[in-house]
Amino acid sequence: MANNLVPDLSDRQYLGNRTIPRQRFRHQESLNAATSDWLIVPAGIGDLMVSLTPTSGSARVEFTQAPIEDIRAGTVNTGTPWPDGDVSSATQKLMMNAVSAIRCVASGECQWTVTA
C-alpha cells in the first residue's frame, strides 16, 4: 500500500502572502512496532523535514527511488535507510526530495511527521 503526501488544508498562510507561494504539505502518523506504508512524495516539492519521535524502541526512515507504479502496486518491499540509521530519541532531518517515496520502520512506539 501507499499514501500520498498531500497539502495541509489547515495551512492558509500562503493565501494573500507573496513570500509563501504555495501551500505546505504534511503527513503525521503513529506506529507501534510496525512499518508504515510508503508515502509517495509529489514531484516539484523541494526539501522535506522528517521527524521521528520514538517513545520506546527505535525507528528509522527508509527511502526508495523505485517507479511510482511499482510503489502503488506494492512490489517495492525494501528501502534504503536514511543516514542516521536507527534512532531511539527524537530526531529531525532535512532531506532533499530526490526520492519517489519514504516510510518509517519502528521497533516500538513512534510518531513520524513529514512536512514540505
Side-chain angles (χ1 to χ4, degrees):
M1 296 288 302
N3 295 313
N4 291 307
L5 183 60
V6 297
D8 178 359
L9 299 179
S10 66
D11 173 28
R12 299 285 188 211
Q13 188 177 14
Y14 73 100
L15 294 173
N17 186 338
R18 290 183 187 182
T19 61
I20 301 173
R22 65 165 178 83
Q23 191 169 35
R24 290 180 183 90
F25 288 69
R26 180 179 175 82
H27 176 83
Q28 189 168 32
E29 185 175 353
S30 295
L31 299 171
N32 189 1
T35 298
S36 72
D37 291 336
W38 285 108
L39 181 63
I40 297 172
V41 180
I45 290 179
D47 298 333
L48 305 168
M49 176 59 77
V50 181
S51 302
L52 296 181
T53 309
T55 54
S56 66
S58 62
R60 71 177 175 274
V61 171
E62 292 183 347
F63 62 88
T64 183
Q65 294 175 310
I68 300 296
E69 307 83 48
D70 293 349
I71 297 165
R72 287 200 174 112
T75 59
V76 180
N77 297 319
T78 59
T80 303
W82 70 344
D84 287 6
D86 291 350
V87 298
S88 57
S89 60
T91 304
Q92 298 80 35
K93 183 69 116 188
L94 186 63
M95 298 178 68
M96 279 182 36
N97 179 15
V99 300
S100 306
I102 62 174
R103 69 179 178 185
C104 179
V105 179
S107 68
E109 292 183 34
C110 180
Q111 180 156 337
W112 79 299
T113 305
V114 180
T115 55

